[in-house]
Amino acid sequence: MKHTTEGLLNTAEAARFLRVSQASIRRWADSGRLAVSRVGGRRERRFKESDLLALLDASRDARPDGVVRIGGASAPVPGHLATFYSTDEGGLRLSVPFLADGMRLGQPCLLVATEPLLSRYVAALGDPPDGMITPILFAGATAAEAIAEWERRFSELIAGRGAPLRIVGEMSCERTMFRSEDEMLRYEEAFELLSKRYPVVVICQYDAREFGGVALLRALKAHPDLFGLRIGTFLN
């Protein structure tokens, strides 16, 4: 019987479907985590959409359930949230207690920020001990490259841990790591799906003085977890 590849996705298409890197697709297929077929003389990988959905469901089932308190709201784990602020004080109102609670509980905390915001956080957190807060900087250039970098970091930091990983990203700083604001927002949209596969709680901080209305609306849409919470909590 003639074998058909109709309805099968190649590696690039599977990566776009799951919004992950092609390297992750190849790694999962080679390790047996993701079902794969080989076709043609070059034995190229092909994937069923149903198998990709099954992998996504399995990742969700494997995550520890729970919530993290943020400003009186119960954020889900995993959670990908955004705050919008218009003053320096407002920018620290939720993010600093969020990180401080993680430090107190011994949970890994990551901060994506550059100066002068980085020093502002260090001062607000009382000069945290080495290793308690890990600053993150990356030359993302493209959304795909940044997502691949986060996949690598998540795999390293979460392996063997039951506690959630806490991340605060100052988006005015992250914007400088991409070639354009549009690329940064495409990264945010891709990160929404990526975050659902790991026990992470992320606060993406938007300084309303630094972004236009269209960008802020797009950012809001990229964080649907907000809509299940009291959204006023995240407006500072």
Side-chain angles (χ1 to χ4, degrees):
M1 182 174 66
K2 184 178 179 180
H3 179 72
T4 177
T5 60
E6 184 178 357
L8 297 179
L9 305 180
N10 62 28
T11 300
E13 291 167 337
R16 285 195 296 271
F17 185 89
L18 291 180
R19 294 188 182 180
V20 299
S21 66
Q22 293 186 46
S24 292
I25 294 293
R26 289 191 291 268
R27 183 172 64 251
W28 295 338
D30 293 345
S31 68
R33 183 179 176 188
L34 175 61
V36 60
S37 300
R38 296 281 185 167
V39 300
R42 298 176 62 182
R43 305 291 293 162
E44 295 179 346
R45 299 176 181 85
R46 292 293 185 271
F47 304 91
K48 294 180 181 178
E49 184 175 313
S50 59
D51 290 329
L52 298 174
L53 290 171
L55 175 65
L56 194 58
D57 289 340
S59 297
R60 288 171 177 157
D61 292 342
R63 292 190 311 260
D65 294 328
V67 296
V68 168
R69 299 291 290 177
I70 302 176
S74 297
V77 181
H80 180 217
L81 306 167
T83 65
F84 303 88
Y85 64 91
S86 58
T87 66
D88 291 350
E89 295 77 12
L92 301 179
R93 186 178 72 85
L94 295 178
S95 55
V96 167
F98 171 73
L99 292 173
D101 285 347
M103 293 164 54
R104 178 176 55 82
L105 295 170
Q107 297 169 348
C109 298
L110 304 181
L111 173 62
V112 185
T114 56
E115 296 294 354
L117 282 173
L118 182 57
S119 292
R120 194 179 302 163
Y121 272 96
V122 171
L125 289 165
D127 195 15
D130 290 343
M132 292 301 293
I133 295 287
T134 304
I136 298 293
L137 296 174
F138 60 93
T142 69
E145 290 169 350
I147 291 296
E149 174 64 14
W150 277 118
E151 284 186 291
R152 183 186 68 79
R153 290 184 181 274
F154 286 167
S155 297
E156 292 176 354
L157 291 167
I158 296 175
R161 291 178 180 264
L165 172 64
R166 297 182 182 227
I167 304 171
V168 170
E170 285 289 343
M171 302 313 296
S172 60
C173 300
E174 293 201 40
R175 180 175 55 186
T176 66
M177 304 176 194
F178 292 90
R179 59 191 181 189
S180 68
E181 184 173 276
D182 178 71
E183 191 70 17
M184 183 205 76
L185 289 167
R186 292 204 299 118
Y187 150 75
E188 275 276 66
E189 291 157 356
F191 193 93
E192 163 62 19
L193 184 56
L194 172 68
S195 67
K196 296 301 181 280
R197 297 181 11 239
Y198 297 94
V200 300
V201 180
V202 185
I203 298 179
C204 299
Q205 297 252 110
Y206 282 86
D207 186 341
R209 299 167 296 185
E210 299 288 337
F211 292 92
V214 172
L216 292 174
L217 178 59
R218 189 170 166 188
L220 181 62
K221 291 179 178 179
H223 297 83
D225 287 340
L226 283 176
F227 304 136
L229 303 172
R230 293 176 299 182
I231 197 167
T233 300
F234 299 89
L235 305 178
N236 300 295

